[in-house]
């Protein structure tokens, strides 16, 4: 049990002003870029920016003290001491600055065709062309004009685009994916069905891959890609479709995906919604789909080789028959014609 340690108002203010990005990096934490913020590599649902943090899966956040207490399991005095350091001085603090006004959401301009998007999604990712067609016709998927990225659109109840997620079409090298600034994360990429089942994914490509793996009657189900592991898109789908009774959590098969699924399951249970966990064999559903496509390709190549071998055998079987026919033809050509027997005998015996 830790002893009581009084902290001055100045110390409390310094601790509350600690730059979490600098603090976490000083402790060896890996942070990933996420727009203007940073995302924890060990838990993708948590983002930090300056002296604030937010858990998108649990839908709560706060300042440095609450972060340290929750993430490191420390008491209040222990958290304060860790943030202030041995000398009672805080690690680099955040300078006060006015938050810039939020930019309005503007969806990227559409390209006049989707050649690169189709090539990437269908050829490189193995997604069914029919599935890509369905989302493209619904205005939920297109190729942007400037950089030829895949753009996954999320619309509100009135059919107005409120969210966009961009994914580069590069098959090799560095990939690029980001949410368009100003979008409402509650309306991420989704499909609204007619039954009472909802499938939840991290990325739009995982959503499309799962449908490609399980295409039978997919239109009747509802699907949502959180573009991360935030619970907000799931909550919005529950509000928009009150009849949802079962939610299948299809997040990535990794530590972050399992942790986020557990948090989502707890939130769903509080609302009386049944949930289940579906995991891919690989890290995500696209990994599984690409394995299937390779297997299908190998089967097709095997069938083609079998057909070629069968054709070769047929030629060999027909060759002896042709040889016999040629021999008969030669025999007939060498056989004396009727009447020639007499001329031959006369020539021999001198008729």
């Amino acid at each position: 049990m830790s002893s009581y340690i009084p902290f001055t108002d100045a110390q409390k203010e310094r601790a509350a002003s600690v730059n979490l990005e600098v603090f976490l990096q000083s402790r060896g934490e890996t942070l990933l870029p996420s727009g203007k913020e940073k995302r924890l590599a060990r838990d993708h649902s948590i983002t930090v920016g300056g002296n604030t943090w937010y858990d998108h899966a649990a839908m709560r956040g706060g300042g440095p003290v609450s972060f340290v207490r929750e993430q490191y399991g420390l008491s209040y005095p222990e958290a304060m001491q860790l943030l202030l350091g041995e000398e009672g001085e805080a690690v680099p603090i955040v300078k006060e600055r006015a938050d810039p006004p939020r930019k309005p959401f503007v969806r990227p301009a559409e390209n006049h065709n989707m050649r690169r998007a189709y090539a990437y999604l269908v050829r490189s990712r193995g997604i069914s062309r029919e599935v890509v067609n369905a989302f493209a016709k619904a205005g939920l998927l297109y190729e942007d004009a400037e950089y030829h990225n895949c753009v996954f659109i999320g619309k509100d109840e009135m059919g107005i685009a409120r969210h966009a997620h961009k994914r580069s079409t590069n098959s090799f090298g560095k990939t690029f994916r980001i949410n368009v600034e100003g979008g409402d994360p509650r309306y991420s990429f989704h499909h609204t069905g007619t039954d009472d089942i909802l499938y939840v994914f991290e990325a739009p490509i995982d959503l499309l891959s799962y449908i490609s793996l399980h295409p039978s009657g997919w239109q009747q189900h509802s699907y949502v890609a959180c573009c991360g592991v935030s619970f907000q898109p799931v909550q919005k789908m529950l509000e928009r479709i009150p009849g949802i009774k079962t939610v299948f959590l299809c997040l990535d098969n990794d530590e972050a995906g399992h942790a986020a699924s557990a948090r989502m399951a707890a939130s769903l249970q509080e609302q009386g919604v049944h949930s289940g966990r579906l995991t891919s064999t690989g890290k995500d559903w696209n990994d599984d789909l690409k394995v299937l496509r390779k297997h299908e390709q190998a089967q097709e190549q095997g069938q083609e080789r079998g057909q070629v071998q069968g054709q070769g055998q047929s030629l060999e079987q027909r060759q002896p028959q042709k040889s016999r026919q040629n021999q008969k033809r030669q025999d007939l050509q060498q056989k004396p014609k009727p009447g020639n027997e007499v001329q031959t005998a006369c020539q021999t015996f001198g008729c």
Side-chain angles (χ1 to χ4, degrees), residues 1-5 7 15 64-84:
M1 183 175 179
S2 60
S3 57
Y4 173 74
I5 302 176
F7 294 100
V65 177
S66 62
F67 179 88
V68 171
R69 293 190 65 182
E70 182 165 324
Q71 293 298 311
Y72 299 133
L74 301 179
S75 65
Y76 175 74
E78 292 170 337
M80 288 290 290
Q81 286 181 313
L82 180 61
L83 290 168
L84 293 172

Side-chain angles (χ1 to χ4, degrees), residues 234-293:
V234 182
Q235 185 63 48
K236 176 53 69 173
M237 291 294 285
L238 295 177
E239 295 172 3
R240 297 177 66 175
I241 316 172
I244 292 292
K245 294 180 181 179
T246 303
V247 176
F248 288 110
L249 302 170
C250 311
L251 281 68
D252 287 0
N253 186 15
D254 58 15
E255 185 177 348
H258 298 321
S261 295
R263 288 191 293 269
M264 289 187 184
S267 298
L268 291 168
Q269 185 177 11
E270 292 176 357
Q271 302 181 54
V273 180
H274 175 72
S275 67
R277 178 79 167 112
L278 297 181
T279 55
S280 55
T281 302
K283 178 184 176 295
D284 55 46
W285 296 102
N286 188 246
D287 285 348
D288 287 9
L289 180 60
K290 287 189 288 188
V291 170
L292 175 64
R293 294 295 185 239

Side-chain angles (χ1 to χ4, degrees), residues 38-185:
K38 295 291 191 299
R39 191 180 301 275
L40 266 67
R42 61 179 172 84
D43 189 343
H44 291 184
S45 66
I46 298 177
T47 56
V48 297
N51 65 334
T52 61
W53 65 276
Y54 188 77
D55 188 330
H56 296 268
M59 294 188 294
R60 65 174 181 271
V65 177
S66 62
F67 179 88
V68 171
R69 293 190 65 182
E70 182 165 324
Q71 293 298 311
Y72 299 133
L74 301 179
S75 65
Y76 175 74
E78 292 170 337
M80 288 290 290
Q81 286 181 313
L82 180 61
L83 290 168
L84 293 172
E86 296 181 359
E87 302 299 326
E89 294 293 333
V91 295
I93 64 174
V94 178
K95 295 180 180 180
E96 294 185 4
R97 62 178 184 272
D99 293 332
R102 184 176 179 178
K103 293 183 178 179
F105 171 71
V106 178
R107 54 182 287 171
E110 294 186 39
N111 193 38
H112 64 279
N113 63 55
M114 289 183 61
R115 272 198 218 98
R116 295 193 193 180
Y118 267 93
Y120 174 73
L121 295 172
V122 178
R123 295 179 188 174
S124 299
R125 291 295 191 144
I127 297 169
S128 166
R129 181 174 292 273
E130 289 73 20
V131 173
V132 176
N133 287 341
F135 281 87
K137 289 179 180 178
L140 302 175
L141 171 60
Y142 64 89
E143 179 180 317
D144 77 10
E146 187 173 5
Y147 299 107
H148 302 283
N149 296 309
C150 292
V151 181
F152 302 93
I153 294 293
K155 297 183 179 181
D156 64 11
E157 295 84 350
M158 304 301 294
I160 300 173
R162 298 294 186 188
H163 187 270
H165 178 80
K166 295 195 295 184
R167 177 65 163 79
S168 64
T169 53
N170 296 331
S171 300
F172 304 97
K174 203 169 185 180
T175 58
F176 168 83
R177 54 184 178 270
I178 193 172
N179 294 326
V180 175
E181 192 173 1
D184 189 335

